């Protein structure tokens, strides 16, 4: 069976042209540029989200440590600021605790039972303490450093009335401002929550 193409359709098929090689290369080049731009935008979005999540995690750890430290120290009866190298606190009765930085992060230690609880992950790098007086109240300055962020908080010591009494040990540095570094700050606080320690 032979099909004949009429003259009009035959002319149409003869004049029908395809894409040239140059047109195909240009189209592929334009598509490559568009796909590259889309990929870079997606990559930027993924990296921005990861960076934001890391910052949020770090800030969350700093806030949690700050809240726990505030909660633990607000109502102490005795306080001993020392360095982590100190072997024992200047206060040594039952119901004593310590907060300091070690290799696992910020640690809350129950001295009586020798149990340690980690308050932070690896995103918190250092913690420092200073005692000062503000408006006739004793205030503990706490600075918590992370990998790239830091948190500064003040803890009103409700049960300690003056800096210069036997309720506070190791307070040779009294400043009422935060400094950029933790130089001069004490990096361990021993404390008592025992009302029997109140003089």
């Amino acid at each position: 069976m032979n099909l004949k193409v009429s003259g009009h359709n035959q002319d149409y098929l003869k004049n029908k042209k395809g894409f040239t090689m140059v047109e195909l290369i240009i189209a592929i080049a334009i598509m490559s540029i568009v796909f590259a731009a889309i990929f870079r935008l997606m990559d930027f979005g993924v990296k921005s989200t990861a960076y934001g999540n890391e910052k949020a995690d770090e800030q969350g750890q700093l806030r949690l440590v700050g809240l726990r430290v505030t909660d633990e120290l607000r109502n102490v009866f005795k306080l001993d600021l020392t360095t982590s190298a100190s072997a024992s606190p200047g206060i040594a009765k039952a119901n004593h605790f310590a907060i300091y930085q070690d290799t696992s992060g910020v640690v809350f230690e129950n001295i009586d039972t020798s149990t340690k609880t980690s308050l932070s992950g690896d995103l918190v790098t250092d913690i420092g303490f200073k005692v000062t007086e503000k408006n006739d109240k004793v205030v503990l300055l706490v600075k918590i450093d992370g990998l790239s962020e830091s948190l500064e908080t003040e803890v009103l010591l409700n049960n300690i009335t003056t800096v210069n009494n036997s309720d506070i040990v190791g307070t040779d540095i009294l400043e009422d401002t935060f400094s950029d570094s933790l130089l001069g700050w004490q990096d361990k606080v021993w404390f008592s929550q025992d009302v029997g320690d109140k003089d």
Side-chain angles (χ1 to χ4, degrees), residues 49-69:
T49 301
Y51 178 77
N53 288 340
E54 288 172 10
K55 286 290 189 188
D57 288 345
E58 181 179 3
Q59 290 171 355
Q61 282 189 21
L62 291 171
R63 280 193 308 272
L64 286 174
V65 170
L67 289 172
R68 179 70 187 266
V69 167

Side-chain angles (χ1 to χ4, degrees), residues 47-112:
K47 286 180 180 175
S48 295
T49 301
Y51 178 77
N53 288 340
E54 288 172 10
K55 286 290 189 188
D57 288 345
E58 181 179 3
Q59 290 171 355
Q61 282 189 21
L62 291 171
R63 280 193 308 272
L64 286 174
V65 170
L67 289 172
R68 179 70 187 266
V69 167
T70 300
D71 187 48
E72 293 293 341
L73 297 176
R74 177 179 295 140
N75 293 312
V76 299
F77 289 97
K78 281 206 180 276
L79 197 65
D80 181 0
L81 300 176
T82 62
T83 63
S84 291
S86 297
S88 62
I91 49 179
K93 293 183 180 176
N95 202 18
H96 290 88
F97 307 90
I99 296 176
Y100 56 93
Q101 175 77 28
D102 75 359
T103 56
S104 64
V106 176
V107 172
F108 173 80
E109 181 179 359
N110 183 328
I111 306 303
D112 304 327

Side-chain angles (χ1 to χ4, degrees), residues 89 100 125 199:
Y100 56 93
T125 59
D199 292 334

